Amino acid sequence: MKRVVIALVLACLPFAGAAQEPAVPPVPQGPILRASVDQVVVDVVVTDADGQAVTGLTAADFEIRERGAAQSVATFSEVSLPVVRRAPGTLPPPPGDVRSNVRANDARVYVLVLDDVNVVLHLTPVVQRAAREFVHRYVQAGDLVAVLTTSGLGVTRQEPTEDVALVDAAIARFAGYGGDYVSTASRSKVAQAYATRNADPMTTQRRSTTLMDDGSVADNDDATDEGRQRALLTLRTLENVATSLAGVSGRRKAIVFFSQGAPIAMRDGEFLDAHSRVLGAAARANATIYALDPNGLDHPTAFDARGLTQPAGSLDPALQHSRDLNAAVNGVVVQRRIMAAAMLRTLAEGTGGVASVDRTNLDPALDRIAADSSHYYLLGYVPADAKREGRYRGIEVRLKRPDLHVSARKGYVEADDKAKRKTDPKGAVQGPLAEMIRLPVASAGLSFSVHAVALPGASRNVSVVVEVAPDALTFEARGDQRVTTVDLAIVPVGPGGQVFPAVDGHANLTLPAAEADVIAARGVRMVHRLTLAPGRYQLRVGARETTRQRTGSVIYDLTVPEAKAGLALSGLILSSTLAGRIPTSERDEAIEQALGGRPPTTSRVFATDDVLSVYAEAIDAGATAARDVEMTTILRDGRGRELLRNPQAGANRSVAPGKSFAYAIDLPLKALAPGRYTLRVEARTEGTREPIARDVAFDVRTPNP
């Protein structure tokens, strides 16, 4: 492999020293409370008469009552996260290629539940448009968004991610297949029931459809049974979503439910039980449901416009022209529509959220979701009743200022010490890291960062670099030695939650005091290889240090491409001359050799006196005869202006046709002014129009004194 050293000669360029300084976002005040075994933590949204968030309140402004009994506020925190509402068509910035848990508790968590079983096909674009609008305009950099459907079928699923492109792709795959509130068959039965009710009430009772005195319809047919099952499936899905968020503490979690609702009768015990389980799961997880109905305005002319009245020619002509019949059918439609809207309202209001029904403009609801998730108060208390029997406990949060409005969950379900504990499957991660790995979001604690790359053509085709942050490790003194251990688990999770075998690592650090001081000050690096089949994954990386028993986790989105004929290019692996200052406890010799003896790093900040090294692998898969591959390195500043373009023809000449080859460059940074830059590597074969490209953003800073 030939290494390329690229010299930057920028003195003759008028903008050589004008690289744009990276914007430094304000540091938000993140949540600082965690629920203990006995402590209950409630997030509370407070707004004024104009619906604006109220800041600066103290614990003395609040009252909490549990089952009517006043509780003492033991812990209190005000959470204020910056939010910028973007203009239509403006996307949030794409995430970098490194993930970290340093500010994990600052991230908002949104779960978009797209109700495919209750949304009719023609409203699919409406749901897609509304979901995309929320993500594009309100989701901030670093926020986590998950997407799933009620049915769980198909490919409309995305685990929590900060990559908006992945969220967009999942939303685009959504399709509703729910039925109208009254199917054609049911309409015919309504007509039959209407025709026979006055003539022979006993006949009506013997039919499969009964027109009730209040205008509702009691159906026994297959379509109605299917509707019941869809409604129960919807409630089970919401229960499961809330349950999956139960371990995510210290932040507000919003379930954004896009649905027309299900026309269920809440007097039905089965539905009441399922509804109660949803509220209980949301209470345990401290999650809030926001229900958004894509139907729009709700009035009889709207139903007529949608063709929900009796289709012409489907009934006896004498009945077809009956105004009373048409009113009966429309009455059933409206009655079921009201029932469906009531379902959405009870789910939202029971968890401290809101429902947007009978509205053509969703902007107020979307504004509310973002505002509620960006400013709130965390109140913690220890109930006087210490029993743990799995009971539901109603709570009420009040303000001593009557001019303000408070929104909070209505209760929670206490722990149950007698409940059967779930056992981990064989081969699962055990011990303190197991709980971290189960969480679908990153967890703060032990601070570290992760970078992962799929390498084409390699048997162990995924490289994972983990760097523990400076000052994160504490050593115990044992004589003249300093000792600590870092346990590491890397668990690949595929689409649908399929868990693959974990990769374990252990950095047993028994070092002289001087070396321990270096690791404590600079951190430590671990590099692992694993083998994954083509597909989309989330790598759940958990780490634990033994000295202070601290744990943390990072979630990394990774795509392993299909091994198909044609040109393929890996992501970019970075290093630098100074990267070796961070000790490496577990190494990848092949990558270090390709980087000129330097270890890969997750850092994306380099000094002007450093030399940046970049490594990638490419393959002209399936090629039986040699054809040149041109690799081009491009450097741009923070304003997108091109500073350098360096093409290298015949980069694959040293390998046989169809074999992978390495591409590495060294880029001295001394000619660059401090600021943000983007480096691009392009690969192009003979006769192709568009190259394959990989980008990485990095910052250049002045050296530390």
Side-chain angles (χ1 to χ4, degrees):
M1 179 191 71
K2 179 181 178 182
R3 297 186 60 77
V4 179
V5 179
I6 301 178
L8 280 167
V9 182
L10 303 179
C12 61
L13 300 179
F15 50 84
Q20 196 176 45
E21 281 284 353
V24 179
V27 178
Q29 178 189 351
I32 60 174
L33 298 182
R34 286 183 176 274
S36 67
V37 173
D38 297 311
Q39 187 183 64
V40 177
V41 177
V42 185
D43 57 78
V44 183
V45 175
V46 182
T47 53
D48 60 19
D50 296 325
Q52 300 300 310
V54 177
T55 62
L57 299 178
T58 66
D61 295 311
F62 293 88
E63 291 181 352
I64 298 181
R65 292 183 175 272
E66 182 178 296
R67 294 178 173 178
Q71 307 292 319
S72 298
V73 178
T75 52
F76 177 85
S77 176
E78 180 179 1
V79 180
S80 184
L81 303 175
V83 58
V84 177
R85 176 174 170 173
R86 291 178 296 276
T90 305
L91 299 180
D97 62 333
V98 173
R99 300 289 186 273
S100 171
N101 66 345
V102 173
R103 294 175 61 178
N105 281 350
D106 294 343
R108 304 164 183 85
V109 178
Y110 300 113
V111 182
L112 309 185
V113 180
L114 312 183
D115 190 7
D116 54 342
V117 302
N118 291 305
V119 170
V120 295
L121 180 61
H122 74 269
L123 287 180
T124 294
V126 179
V127 172
Q128 291 175 328
R129 185 167 60 251
R132 279 195 296 263
E133 180 178 357
F134 174 72
V135 172
H136 291 181
R137 299 183 69 179
Y138 297 91
V139 172
Q140 308 297 302
D143 289 351
L144 296 173
V145 184
V147 183
L148 73 157
T149 59
T150 301
S151 69
L153 301 176
V155 290
T156 308
R157 184 182 179 95
Q158 175 59 53
E159 302 297 327
T161 180
E162 55 186 282
D163 192 336
V164 170
L166 296 177
V167 175
D168 269 350
I171 293 172
R173 296 190 291 266
F174 168 74
Y177 63 89
D180 283 339
Y181 293 106
V182 181
S183 65
T184 300
S186 293
R187 292 188 187 110
S188 297
K189 291 179 180 180
V190 170
Q192 295 167 2
Y194 176 81
T196 59
R197 182 175 62 179
N198 295 328
D200 184 2
M202 295 303 295
T203 301
T204 302
Q205 294 178 17
R206 291 194 296 268
R207 294 184 182 274
S208 60
T209 300
T210 302
L211 191 63
M212 308 299 288
D213 290 337
D214 61 357
S216 63
V217 178
D219 291 320
N220 307 318
D221 58 10
D222 293 340
T224 301
D225 289 341
E226 180 184 350
R228 290 176 60 86
Q229 293 306 314
R230 291 186 182 205
L232 292 172
L233 175 59
T234 299
L235 296 174
R236 283 197 298 270
T237 299
L238 291 173
E239 178 189 356
N240 292 336
V241 170
T243 300
S244 71
L245 297 172
V248 181
S249 59
R251 68 183 93 179
R252 188 174 176 87
K253 292 147 284 187
I255 300 173
V256 188
F257 183 41
F258 294 87
S259 174
Q260 292 179 254
I264 61 177
M266 293 308 295
R267 61 179 177 270
D268 188 305
E270 188 176 24
F271 288 134
L272 278 174
D273 183 59
H275 182 270
S276 297
R277 290 199 302 271
V278 174
L279 298 185
R284 282 189 294 272
N286 203 14
T288 305
I289 297 176
Y290 297 87
L292 306 178
D293 184 356
N295 253 308
L297 288 176
D298 185 1
H299 49 77
T301 56
F303 288 118
D304 294 340
R306 295 190 183 99
L308 296 181
T309 55
Q310 180 63 39
S314 62
L315 297 175
D316 181 85
L319 295 178
Q320 182 70 44
H321 299 289
S322 170
R323 291 185 179 182
D324 292 339
L325 167 64
N326 217 29
V329 174
N330 260 343
V332 172
V333 173
V334 172
Q335 193 267 349
R336 290 195 171 188
R337 181 73 189 90
I338 292 172
M339 293 169 65
M343 171 195 177
L344 298 179
R345 288 192 177 97
T346 56
L347 287 171
E349 293 169 2
T351 60
V354 294
S356 177
V357 296
D358 307 339
R359 299 288 186 272
T360 55
N361 181 11
L362 288 180
D363 278 357
L366 300 182
D367 279 337
R368 169 72 181 270
I369 298 170
D372 287 357
S373 300
S374 300
H375 187 275
Y376 52 94
Y377 297 89
L378 288 173
L379 284 70
Y381 70 96
V382 178
D385 180 359
K387 292 182 180 180
R388 297 159 58 88
E389 300 173 349
R391 300 169 301 172
Y392 178 84
R393 299 190 181 197
I395 58 177
E396 182 183 8
V397 181
R398 301 176 180 176
L399 273 174
K400 297 178 182 178
R401 292 177 52 181
D403 58 320
L404 302 179
H405 177 265
V406 62
S407 177
R409 57 174 165 153
K410 308 299 183 184
Y412 71 99
V413 178
E414 67 188 20
D416 188 354
D417 290 336
K418 296 181 180 180
K420 185 178 179 180
R421 300 292 185 260
K422 292 183 178 179
T423 58
D424 293 327
K426 186 177 180 180
V429 174
Q430 303 294 329
L433 284 180
E435 195 61 36
M436 290 287 99
I437 295 300
R438 290 192 190 99
L439 295 179
V441 301
S443 176
L446 179 66
S447 299
F448 65 97
S449 55
V450 175
H451 179 247
V453 167
L455 302 171
S459 57
R460 299 172 65 202
N461 61 340
V462 174
S463 171
V464 182
V465 181
V466 178
E467 284 187 352
V468 179
D471 299 322
L473 297 180
T474 301
F475 287 80
E476 294 179 335
R478 294 184 184 174
D480 59 352
Q481 301 289 305
R482 300 291 185 270
V483 179
T484 193
T485 299
V486 178
D487 294 330
L488 181 72
I490 304 171
V491 178
V493 179
Q498 181 184 6
V499 179
F500 293 84
V503 175
D504 296 327
H506 305 276
N508 298 303
L509 306 176
T510 302
L511 304 167
E515 295 182 23
D517 289 342
V518 171
I519 289 180
R522 297 178 180 174
V524 68
R525 176 187 299 113
M526 292 169 278
V527 185
H528 287 269
R529 287 277 192 121
L530 57 151
T531 302
L532 290 175
R536 294 187 299 113
Y537 299 89
Q538 281 200 330
L539 302 182
R540 296 186 182 179
V541 185
R544 170 181 178 264
E545 69 127 16
T546 58
T547 305
R548 285 186 287 182
Q549 302 291 310
R550 291 194 302 168
T551 59
S553 66
V554 170
I555 308 295
Y556 196 99
D557 296 296
L558 178 71
T559 298
V560 178
E562 294 280 351
K564 57 184 180 181
L567 188 62
L569 179 64
S570 74
L572 306 181
I573 299 176
L574 269 59
S575 185
S576 74
T577 303
L578 301 180
R581 298 174 61 188
I582 298 177
T584 302
S585 69
E586 298 187 23
R587 321 183 79 92
D588 188 315
E589 300 293 344
I591 290 180
E592 284 197 27
Q593 183 179 1
L595 287 167
R598 301 160 184 161
T601 181
T602 65
S603 176
R604 295 298 180 260
V605 179
F606 305 96
T608 54
D609 60 350
D610 206 350
V611 176
L612 178 66
S613 296
V614 182
Y615 168 73
E617 288 187 14
I619 187 172
D620 191 8
T624 57
R627 59 174 183 171
D628 278 352
V629 176
E630 180 182 82
M631 305 292 293
T632 302
T633 301
I634 303 168
L635 181 68
R636 293 187 174 93
D637 68 4
R639 299 179 183 176
R641 298 175 297 189
E642 188 173 299
L643 306 182
L644 176 142
R645 178 179 289 268
N646 185 71
Q648 297 290 321
N652 60 332
R653 289 175 184 170
S654 61
V655 300
K659 299 295 183 181
S660 63
F661 61 95
Y663 176 73
I665 62 170
D666 292 333
L667 183 69
L669 303 177
K670 60 184 179 182
L672 296 180
R676 168 63 58 91
Y677 297 88
T678 300
L679 186 138
R680 164 172 284 212
V681 173
E682 295 181 348
R684 184 197 306 266
T685 57
E686 300 171 5
T688 58
R689 285 187 172 183
E690 297 296 329
I692 300 174
R694 298 290 182 265
D695 297 281
V696 61
F698 64 95
D699 292 326
V700 174
R701 304 283 174 84
T702 55
N704 292 327

